[in-house]
Amino acid sequence: HASRRTVSFEGIVLAEPDTEKARMSRADLITAVVLVVLGVAILYGSWTMPRLEARRIHPATIPGLVPGLLSIALIICGGLLGLRSIRTPSPGGWASLRAALFSAETARALAVTALILVFTLGLVGRMPFWAASAIFIFAFVMMFELWLTDTPHRLPVSLAWAAALAAIVSAAVFWVFQYQFLVRLPGS
């Protein structure tokens, strides 16, 4: 029976198709709930924004109009995704989703998320943008060259590569945005 076999693609063994569909159905249900909650929060925020009637702003140009419309679209899309996932039969979907959530790929995704949050909330604005970018790029390269890889590289090679990449890329990004696009970067 074709739906019970494992599928191999370039040496990578994927989950059984039925299990994969069940897992994705449960993941879609969680995503739908997050999208609806996010949409409701944005809709509330856009509804409570000042409408600037005292300045005789036209109702079609009020500040909360576009976020409000986008939040309604987010709520509708989240609701449709949730309905589809509820209607899809998914035996063993929660167990398969739980196994996927505690995998090496999830650890990598969480590490990237943590690095991005440290960069945006902790570094940018507290130091020059080029320095924050260099620290972020250096940490990102080191993390994926040494710790979050199946075949770690040698420390001296990784240090040299991360330092060179951080210096070149952060300088290039700073130069392009500051002097070519004329964007005033935080901390400059």
Side-chain angles (χ1 to χ4, degrees):
H1 191 279
S3 65
R4 294 289 175 204
R5 292 184 306 201
T6 57
V7 179
S8 178
F9 177 73
E10 294 184 11
I12 300 170
V13 178
L14 304 173
E16 295 178 5
D18 288 346
T19 306
E20 180 70 17
K21 185 176 179 183
R23 180 174 62 89
M24 290 307 296
S25 175
R26 297 302 91 177
D28 285 349
L29 182 60
I30 292 170
T31 303
V33 170
V34 169
L35 291 176
V36 169
V37 169
L38 182 64
V40 168
I42 295 170
L43 182 61
Y44 174 77
S46 66
W47 185 262
T48 58
M49 284 179 117
R51 291 187 174 61
L52 307 176
E53 296 96 355
R55 295 187 180 173
R56 295 195 173 115
I57 299 291
H58 189 276
T61 62
I62 59 172
L65 181 63
V66 172
L69 293 175
L70 291 175
S71 68
I72 291 170
L74 198 60
I75 293 167
I76 291 169
C77 290
L80 291 174
L81 182 65
L83 284 173
R84 189 190 74 166
S85 81
I86 288 172
R87 293 176 53 169
T88 302
S90 55
W94 291 113
S96 176
L97 180 62
R98 195 173 312 111
L101 288 176
F102 295 104
S103 65
E105 291 81 14
T106 303
R108 289 183 184 112
L110 289 174
V112 169
T113 303
L115 275 175
I116 290 170
L117 288 173
V118 167
F119 174 67
T120 56
L121 301 176
L123 299 178
V124 173
R126 297 190 193 327
M127 61 180 60
F129 186 79
W130 62 267
S133 297
I135 291 169
F136 171 75
I137 293 165
F138 181 83
F140 192 93
V141 171
M142 291 301 290
M143 185 175 292
F144 280 91
E145 287 272 318
L146 294 176
W147 301 294
L148 294 176
T149 182
D150 295 331
T151 56
H153 299 277
R154 294 181 330 174
L155 181 61
V157 173
S158 294
L159 280 171
W161 172 245
L165 201 59
I168 293 168
V169 172
S170 65
V173 167
F174 178 78
W175 182 79
V176 167
F177 279 91
Q178 187 81 19
Y179 298 110
Q180 298 303 308
F181 296 153
L182 303 176
V183 174
R184 191 162 192 278
L185 296 170
S188 40

